[in-house]
């Protein structure tokens, strides 16, 4: 019998699945169903990245895609026994500060949060329903992007709006929590003295945010009510003056849907460069607009590191993760360039190698690169729900 733990991340037209073993941290297989609908595609990979054969099936719905992925995994592992499934869910509101096994009551609570994350939450929940249908009787565990930030003090949980809005749920939730959870745990293993201190984690990918972690707990994050706030991202705006939105509505007659499209899909690096949302493309481009997009990204990162360090009364470590944070030596070096006043100094040889520690020997503040692994955080939560301890799984 091959024991398996599934991790699932359901988007509007995509489904990302990884199959973890009952023991061990490396997936045995993974799948990406994309453009779910009449033109759906499915890519399957084995433990070493080799392509796997797809079972027959239909990709016109999430439930169909789920069955097809599972059937394909079973071609590879005919005696597969799924012990539990963990789901990435963007919003846990103020109700959940840890993963939770899904019950009808939990689904009701999560459905009530849909207006807070209308672009993601409905699809996440559709993924859970499809999984319940595809493998009934298996524990389904919801893992939240917001949960890690529930430890924020009130001043970082609220906006200066009338209190009734706070009570109605208009709060600074923060996101990317699964990534911060992983990096914080890994730091605890690699450098426990730093993990006990004041750490700024920079999750810089297509989505980008930073988090201040003090003594292992999140105390502030650049993202707030939605995943739009804070740093500029691939296509998301990051922090903007709310007065801009009033102007767009009042003077330009833009609808909520048009403004949503502008802020989520046309802004950030893409909007500034007019070229691409992809940092690699911008680094290789020779246009002044691409250079300015990078300048803006770097500047906002520097500002936020300063702001988050202030929230903790100082900084002991800066940790980079995410596609840009893990791979772009240029962006890391440029962000750190103006942070010497915080005791940050990069060793350029180490930075070029993407080494674990990239700060220079004598620097007061340690700078690290820790590749993040959100799926593993979900797999561990699902394992725990299945009654397996990490000791069992090690
Ligand atoms: P993620 O969303 O975490 O997968 O990150 C995607 C972002 O990482 C994109 O903007 C990529 O261009 C960027 N990225 C990945 N590899 C590199 C690299 N070697 N240099 C610069 N940016 C990179």
């Amino acid at each position: 019998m091959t024991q398996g733990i599934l991790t699932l991340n359901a988007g509007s037209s995509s489904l990302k699945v990884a199959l973890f073993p009952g023991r061990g941290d490396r997936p045995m297989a993974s799948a990406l169903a994309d453009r779910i609908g009449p033109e759906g595609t499915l890519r399957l990979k084995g433990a070493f990245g080799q392509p796997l054969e797809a079972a027959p099936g239909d990709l016109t719905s999430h439930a169909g895609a789920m069955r097809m992925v599972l059937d394909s995994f079973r071609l590879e592992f005919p005696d597969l026994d799924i012990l539990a499934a963990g789901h990435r869910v963007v919003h846990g509101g103020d109700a959940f500060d840890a993963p939770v096994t899904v019950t009808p009551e939990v689904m009701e609570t999560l459905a009530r949060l849909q207006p807070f994350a209308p672009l993601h939450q409905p699809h996440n929940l559709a993924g859970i329903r499809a999984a319940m249908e595809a493998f009934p009787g298996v524990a389904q565990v919801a893992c939240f992007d917001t949960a890690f930030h529930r430890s924020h003090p009130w001043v970082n949980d609220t906006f200066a709006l009338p209190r009734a809005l706070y009570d109605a749920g208009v709060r600074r939730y923060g996101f990317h929590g699964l990534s911060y959870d992983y990096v914080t745990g890994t730091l605890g293993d690699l450098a426990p003295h730093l993990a006990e201190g004041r750490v700024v984690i920079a999750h810089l990918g297509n989505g980008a945010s930073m988090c201040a972690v003090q003594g292992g707990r999140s105390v502030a994050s650049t993202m707030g009510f939605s995943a739009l706030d804070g740093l500029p991202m691939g296509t998301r705006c990051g922090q903007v003056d709310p007065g801009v939105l009033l102007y767009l509505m009042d003077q330009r007659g833009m609808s909520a849907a048009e403004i949503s499209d502008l802020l989520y899909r046309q802004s950030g690096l893409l909007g500034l460069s007019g070229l691409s949302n992809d940092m690699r493309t911008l680094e290789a481009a020779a246009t002044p607009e691409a250079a300015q997009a990078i300048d803006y990204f770097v500047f906002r990162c520097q500002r936020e590191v300063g702001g988050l360090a202030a929230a903790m009364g100082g900084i002991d470590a800066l940790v980079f993760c995410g596609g840009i944070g893990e791979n772009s030596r240029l962006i890391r070096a440029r962000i750190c360039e103006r942070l010497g006043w915080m005791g940050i100094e990069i060793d350029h040889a180490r930075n070029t190698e993407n080494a674990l520690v990239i700060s220079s020997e004598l620097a007061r503040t340690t700078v690290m690169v820790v590749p993040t692994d959100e799926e593993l955080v979900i797999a561990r939560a699902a394992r725990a729900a299945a009654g397996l301890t990490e000791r069992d799984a090690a």
Side-chain angles (χ1 to χ4, degrees):
M1 188 71 81
T2 307
Q3 294 187 324
I5 299 282
L6 288 176
T7 66
L8 300 104
N9 186 352
S12 59
S13 61
S14 67
L15 178 67
K16 213 174 145 195
V17 187
L19 174 65
F20 282 80
R23 294 157 153 277
D25 285 350
R26 281 175 60 106
M28 303 188 283
S30 61
L32 176 63
D34 221 351
R35 287 185 283 159
I36 291 174
E39 305 201 336
T41 58
L42 177 61
R43 267 189 307 158
L44 292 149
K45 285 195 296 191
F48 304 102
Q50 76 279 21
L52 297 182
E53 194 188 329
D58 91 281
L59 292 169
T60 55
S61 67
H62 279 78
M66 190 87 66
R67 276 192 298 273
M68 192 167 164
V69 168
L70 211 59
D71 289 347
S72 305
F73 287 165
R74 288 214 160 97
L75 286 181
E76 207 56 26
F77 307 100
D79 58 349
L80 182 62
D81 179 27
I82 304 291
L83 300 178
H87 299 261
R88 183 175 191 164
V89 177
V90 69
H91 221 303
D94 62 356
F96 299 110
D97 62 1
V100 64
T101 300
V102 174
T103 61
E105 293 73 36
V106 167
M107 281 302 267
E108 257 173 53
T109 307
L110 297 181
R112 276 201 296 275
L113 294 170
Q114 291 188 114
F116 290 165
L119 300 183
H120 294 103
Q121 191 86 344
H123 309 301
N124 300 158
L125 301 191
I128 297 179
R129 287 190 204 99
M132 285 169 152
E133 203 182 303
F135 28 96
V138 167
Q140 311 284 339
V141 182
C143 303
F144 305 103
D145 272 312
T146 49
F148 187 70
H149 303 294
R150 294 318 302 144
S151 46
H152 284 187
W154 184 78
V155 287
N156 276 329
D157 194 38
T158 190
F159 300 101
L161 293 169
R163 271 182 181 269
L165 283 171
Y166 179 83
D167 296 337
V170 180
R171 301 182 184 194
R172 299 185 54 90
Y173 291 99
F175 297 89
H176 284 144
L178 298 169
S179 174
Y180 295 128
D181 194 351
Y182 176 84
V183 172
T184 303
T186 303
L187 200 61
D189 294 338
L190 296 174
H193 61 292
L194 289 178
E196 284 160 20
R198 299 160 299 181
V199 183
V200 172
I201 305 176
H203 178 109
L204 307 180
N206 204 23
S209 72
M210 289 188 190
C211 180
V213 181
Q214 189 162 14
R217 289 162 68 84
S218 170
V219 297
S221 153
T222 59
M223 279 182 171
F225 177 68
S226 71
L228 281 174
D229 205 4
L231 302 175
M233 305 172 220
T235 60
R236 282 175 257 166
C237 55
Q239 190 268 327
V240 287
D241 178 344
V244 173
L245 311 186
L246 297 175
Y247 163 78
L248 294 176
M249 283 187 287
D250 279 352
Q251 305 299 323
R252 296 227 181 170
M254 285 178 75
S255 67
E258 285 167 335
I259 293 178
S260 171
D261 188 60
L262 179 86
L263 302 180
Y264 277 98
R265 298 201 182 88
Q266 299 177 38
S267 298
L269 296 175
L270 174 67
L272 285 174
S273 69
L275 178 69
S276 173
N277 64 318
D278 193 291
M279 189 57 92
R280 268 171 303 199
T281 307
L282 298 185
E283 285 186 14
T287 67
E289 291 82 8
Q292 281 189 327
I294 294 179
D295 288 347
Y296 184 81
F297 184 84
V298 167
F299 173 67
R300 297 305 304 203
C301 286
Q302 290 165 336
R303 270 186 62 150
E304 295 294 351
V305 176
L308 294 174
M312 298 185 288
I315 181 170
D316 301 303
L318 169 63
V319 183
F320 288 101
C321 64
I324 299 170
E326 290 165 27
N327 298 298
S328 176
R329 60 195 75 151
L330 173 82
I331 299 295
R332 287 193 305 254
R334 287 208 42 203
I335 292 172
C336 292
E337 213 166 65
R338 295 184 62 194
L339 300 180
W341 60 276
M342 301 172 78
I344 287 176
E345 192 193 315
I346 285 260
D347 177 312
H348 288 283
R350 288 181 184 168
N351 184 42
T352 301
E353 290 162 11
N354 292 327
L356 175 66
V357 176
I358 59 169
S359 44
S360 66
E361 215 65 64
L362 296 176
R364 185 158 42 90
T365 302
T366 307
V367 184
M368 298 175 75
V369 179
V370 175
T372 195
D373 193 342
E374 291 152 305
E375 280 172 352
L376 185 53
V377 173
I378 298 172
R380 285 174 175 165
R383 264 189 201 131
L388 289 177
T389 64
E390 278 310 305
R391 192 184 294 272
D392 293 331

